[in-house]
Amino acid sequence: MSNLAITAKPLTAEGFAPYGDVLEVSGPPDKIINQGMCGRHHDLATLDFSEGRAGLSLFDAKARTLPHTVDMVERHPAGSQAFIPVNGVPMLVVVADDRDGEPVNLKAFVSQPGQSINLHRGTWHGVLAPLGSPGRYMVVDRIGNGANLEEHWFPAPYVVEAPES
């Protein structure tokens, strides 16, 4: 079986909107707080959980490179999942549409410094993939009882290629 090619694109709020939120500072803050010393960019993501609660975890992820093989995607039907880089390493974000419970129409994005993501509940996505260097991420997701992970393994892998220059 042959590999299916996907070209990664820069991560933008508009391009990523069907799959989640891009968290980044753009424009002036919504509020000035702390005696005028801090700008608050308010409520940038929709955290969405069924039963359970929001949890905050740290992930250490090994470096990946492009081209990158995607043989599996996963989703979390009971909660959204936010990835916030702590050490500024860009990440490859692979997402897919859902058609009758199956991932289709894969897309790949590369984050820029200062960008984080929040995946909508139930969004098919690839594994955490920092590019070029190991990455540390603050992750906000659902903590609770019951299954919250579905995996889909592809019969033929996809290969994500570097963005076009």
Side-chain angles (χ1 to χ4, degrees):
M1 293 186 185
S2 65
N3 292 334
L4 304 167
I6 304 167
T7 301
K9 297 181 180 180
L11 180 64
T12 64
E14 181 178 73
F16 195 68
Y19 311 101
D21 309 300
V22 175
L23 314 176
E24 63 186 330
V25 171
S26 63
D30 300 303
K31 295 179 181 182
I32 303 298
I33 60 174
N34 298 340
Q35 295 84 35
M37 300 299 289
C38 182
R40 179 177 175 147
H41 298 264
H42 186 68
D43 199 22
L44 299 177
T46 301
L47 301 179
D48 178 21
F49 306 114
S50 60
E51 298 174 7
R53 62 178 176 82
L56 195 57
S57 305
L58 284 174
F59 286 19
D60 285 317
K62 294 182 179 181
R64 310 294 179 109
T65 58
L66 294 176
H68 173 74
T69 300
V70 178
D71 53 4
M72 182 273 293
V73 292
E74 62 185 38
R75 67 179 174 178
H76 308 284
S80 57
Q81 192 173 45
F83 293 90
I84 305 158
V86 174
N87 61 348
V89 174
M91 62 184 151
L92 176 67
V93 181
V94 175
V95 291
D97 297 322
D98 181 82
R99 183 183 305 139
D100 300 322
E102 300 284 324
V104 296
N105 193 24
L106 273 69
K107 293 181 177 63
F109 301 93
V110 176
S111 70
Q112 301 302 308
Q115 289 182 318
S116 302
I117 63 163
N118 179 57
L119 294 163
H120 291 160
R121 181 185 350 180
T123 296
W124 290 109
H125 63 89
V127 298
L128 183 55
L131 289 175
S133 298
R136 180 168 288 161
Y137 299 86
M138 185 81 59
V139 177
V140 180
D141 60 358
R142 177 191 170 272
I143 306 296
N145 294 325
N148 189 28
L149 174 65
E150 295 177 20
E151 294 180 340
H152 178 87
W153 292 83
F154 296 108
Y158 289 82
V159 174
V160 179
E161 300 172 349
E164 299 172 356
S165 314

